[in-house]
Amino acid sequence: DGGITQSPKYLFRKEGQNVTLSCEQNLNHDAMYWYRQDPGQGLRLIYYSQIVNDFQKGDIAEGYSVSREKKESFPLTVTSAQKNPTAFYLCASSANGGRQGGTEAFFGQGTRLTVV
Amino acid sequence: KQEVTQIPAALSVPEGENLVLNCSFTDSAIYNLQWFRQDPGKGLTSLLLIQSSQREQTSGRLNASLDKSSGRSTLYIAASQPGDSATYLCAPLGGATNKLIFGTGTLLAVQP
C-alpha cells in the first residue's frame, strides 16, 4: 500500500538520551515535514525538506536534527538538548511542497514520545 | 509570518445539524489550502484540498470554500453524524514562508 509509515508508534526516552523517529514514504513525494503536537495545541513545524539533501528549520527546530539522504526517508532525531520532548510527533509528505499548484499533504499515524 | 486562526475552538451539536467551521489566515499569498480531520491519538486525514485558483471543493457531505483575498476558508458539513466527531484543522500552503502552517483546530462533538 502507498503511504507514510512512522515508527515506532510509542517511544520512551530516558533523560539525556538521543532518540530517532523514523518516517518513510513510498509516494514518490519531494517534500517531507515534521510536526510536534502538544495537548490542546496545534501542530508546530519542526523541520521540512523540499528536496533530497536539503532541509530547512521550522518554527521550533532547537533540540532537533534531521537528514534527507534519500527521497523516501526523513528521520528526526530528538537530542538531549530538547528540554521538553514529551509530545506527539507527526510526519507528512507532499508531491511538490510549496510550489505553485501544490498537491495534497499526507500524514503518518504519529509517534508518541515520552521521557521517563 | 503566516498565522492561522480557527473559530470556534469547540462545537457541540445534535445529530443532523448543518454546521460551518471557519478558518482565517494572515498571508493571502498561498498556493492552496487543505482541510484535515484528526481523531484522538491519531494522525491527520486529508478531507479536501482547494487550489488557490478555486473557490470551492466538495466531497460527499463536505464543502469547503476559499476566499484568498480576504484570507478566509470555511468548511461546511451537512447533516452531521456522530462519526463526524473529531478535531478539524485547516492548513494553508505556501505564501511568504512556503510552508504548511496549521491552525489550532475546531473540536467537534456530534451528539446522537
Side-chain angles (χ1 to χ4, degrees):
Chain A
D1 282 0
I4 301 176
T5 302
Q6 289 187 242
S7 62
K9 188 173 181 179
Y10 299 97
L11 186 57
F12 298 89
R13 188 193 97 168
K14 292 183 179 179
E15 295 277 355
Q17 274 186 338
N18 292 353
V19 290
T20 297
L21 283 60
S22 170
C23 179
E24 304 276 333
Q25 53 97 0
N26 60 5
L27 301 168
N28 200 33
H29 284 173
D30 288 317
M32 297 186 75
Y33 307 81
W34 273 107
Y35 291 88
R36 169 181 172 139
Q37 188 175 36
D38 293 283
Q41 296 192 31
L43 278 71
R44 292 184 290 169
L45 184 62
I46 305 172
Y47 268 98
Y48 66 110
S49 168
Q50 296 193 348
I51 196 168
V52 175
N53 292 322
D54 188 42
F55 49 83
Q56 288 79 41
K57 292 181 179 180
D59 299 319
I60 55 164
E62 185 175 350
Y64 300 97
S65 66
V66 293
S67 63
R68 188 83 189 277
E69 297 176 359
K70 299 185 295 182
K71 189 176 187 178
E72 59 269 24
S73 179
F74 191 41
L76 173 74
T77 296
V78 184
T79 74
S80 56
Q82 170 50 241
K83 298 306 178 189
N84 185 24
T86 295
F88 190 48
Y89 291 86
L90 289 158
C91 178
S93 72
S94 66
N96 57 359
R99 294 196 290 277
Q100 189 93 28
T103 59
E104 272 185 291
F106 295 92
F107 278 77
Q109 287 302 301
T111 293
R112 188 166 299 281
L113 173 63
T114 303
V115 174
V116 297
Chain B
K1 179 183 175 183
Q2 178 76 281
E3 292 182 3
V4 182
T5 303
Q6 290 189 245
I7 295 173
L11 183 62
S12 181
V13 300
E15 183 176 3
E17 275 204 6
N18 301 326
L19 52 98
V20 175
L21 308 181
N22 297 292
C23 171
S24 61
F25 46 94
T26 54
D27 184 351
S28 62
I30 63 170
Y31 296 134
N32 63 42
L33 184 140
Q34 198 166 351
W35 281 93
F36 295 87
R37 166 190 174 132
Q38 185 178 30
D39 293 292
K42 303 290 186 183
L44 276 64
T45 299
S46 178
L47 296 173
L48 289 164
L49 172 75
I50 311 178
Q51 299 288 354
S52 59
S53 58
Q54 298 175 311
R55 293 191 67 84
E56 251 184 53
Q57 191 68 257
T58 298
S59 176
R61 294 184 292 108
L62 305 179
N63 175 276
S65 66
L66 175 64
D67 184 344
K68 206 175 82 159
S69 61
S70 68
R72 294 181 188 277
S73 177
T74 60
L75 179 67
Y76 176 83
I77 303 177
S80 58
Q81 302 171 357
D84 295 330
S85 299
T87 298
Y88 290 80
L89 297 146
C90 72
L93 172 67
T97 58
N98 210 34
K99 305 171 200 172
L100 190 64
I101 301 296
F102 283 83
T104 50
T106 293
L107 177 60
L108 172 65
V110 180
Q111 309 300 331

